[in-house]
Amino acid sequence: MSTMHLVDPEIAPMIVLFPSLDMTFENLADVRANLGSSFPAPPEPSFLPEIVAAPSRDGAPDVPLYVYNPKSKNRSRAAILHIHGGGMVLGSADMSRASMPPIAEAFDVVIVSIDYRLAPETPFPGPQEDCYAGLAWLVAHAEQLGVDPARIIVMGESAGGGLAAALALMARDRGDYELAGQVLIYPMLDHRTGGVDCVYNNATVGEFIWTPSRNQFGWECLRGDYRLEDARIGWFSPARAASLAGLPPAFIMVGSLDLFLDEDLDYTRRLVADGVPAELHVYPGGIHAFNLVETARIAQQSTTDLMAALGKMLSD
């Protein structure tokens, strides 16, 4: 069944422009190399990040961090720890150069974007530990950056949203740090979605951009030889966490045709059931990454909603 008639007409052109992502282990390097060729160059940012290295855990390589630190006299600012998307196998923190400075300036906050290692070269728990190392670095350098360590939120898109949710679970479980909020933009949360063990089976989602087969490839790469048999299963696939109690307040947004719709709806339901404040927005006719069409009305509405949520979390 085609769902093209359900796609918001202002979003539909991106379906043609988006590059082929029919990924295999053999062609993944080529897909990565060509990822940005179909998109216009982003505007020049108002300021550039400082690139630093965070010490990793367990002898892994240091983790590159892109630090967006607008000039400010405020010495107790909030901070955003940002995690980029890409299905666990694509992308880099460099993609944040255009999008992060306006947010940093709008809220007078420091943003640290994590250039975590990608799967399959680095399977679970490597990317998650890289994100945890980024959080540890931000807390350790909070005074130097003029950041209040009690006002750090985590934010991510797609796979980055899934890693942000995983990081919130890791921080809760390890007890070293306490996050003030989590902003999950069409997050990738459930390794079963699109596969034989999928618990949702919604026929109207996932036709475009990020499809069931692409999703399963990303999860397969991330899983490596992890057997899903220990208490870290929620760090791997947040939807599988036994409990979501004790997590920070959450903002979640997703399009109504996004493959992740049902897992995001269910995650929000579970957050609320476990006593976590959660705000959910579903955008009609939105496919995965619909907000990249910045002129579309639903994209503009999602930006308005996102900025409002950030404003609330960063001021609390």
Side-chain angles (χ1 to χ4, degrees), residues 87-125:
M88 307 296 181
V89 297
L90 304 171
S92 72
D94 196 65
M95 298 189 306
S96 66
R97 282 179 180 264
S99 59
M100 292 300 109
I103 296 175
E105 291 176 322
F107 296 107
D108 187 21
V109 298
V110 174
I111 300 179
V112 176
S113 190
I114 304 169
D115 203 26
Y116 59 90
R117 291 168 294 165
L118 301 175
E121 295 86 349
T122 304
F124 176 80

Side-chain angles (χ1 to χ4, degrees), residues 20-28 31-32 86-87 89-90 210 213-215 217-218 221:
S20 171
L21 292 177
D22 292 324
M23 295 174 291
T24 65
F25 290 101
E26 291 73 25
N27 74 358
L28 184 56
V31 173
R32 287 171 175 168
V89 297
L90 304 171
W210 195 248
S213 62
R214 294 164 186 169
N215 194 52
F217 176 79
C221 289

Side-chain angles (χ1 to χ4, degrees), residues 109-176:
V109 298
V110 174
I111 300 179
V112 176
S113 190
I114 304 169
D115 203 26
Y116 59 90
R117 291 168 294 165
L118 301 175
E121 295 86 349
T122 304
F124 176 80
Q128 287 83 349
E129 292 291 359
D130 286 354
C131 294
Y132 197 84
L135 174 59
W137 183 93
L138 178 53
V139 172
H141 291 79
E143 182 175 0
Q144 175 186 334
L145 294 167
V147 164
D148 178 353
R151 299 176 63 206
I152 296 173
I153 71 171
V154 63
M155 176 173 75
E157 311 87 20
S158 193
L163 290 170
L167 181 59
L169 288 162
M170 294 172 75
R172 180 201 66 181
D173 295 347
R174 286 176 168 168
D176 297 327

Side-chain angles (χ1 to χ4, degrees), residues 46-70:
S46 54
F47 67 96
L48 296 175
E50 177 186 5
I51 302 176
V52 302
S56 65
R57 294 167 57 94
D58 303 326
D62 287 352
V63 183
L65 305 175
Y66 285 53
V67 181
Y68 299 88
N69 186 4

Side-chain angles (χ1 to χ4, degrees), residues 192-205 262:
R192 299 167 297 183
T193 297
V196 295
D197 297 323
C198 183
V199 297
Y200 311 110
N201 298 312
N202 183 340
T204 64
V205 300
D262 294 281

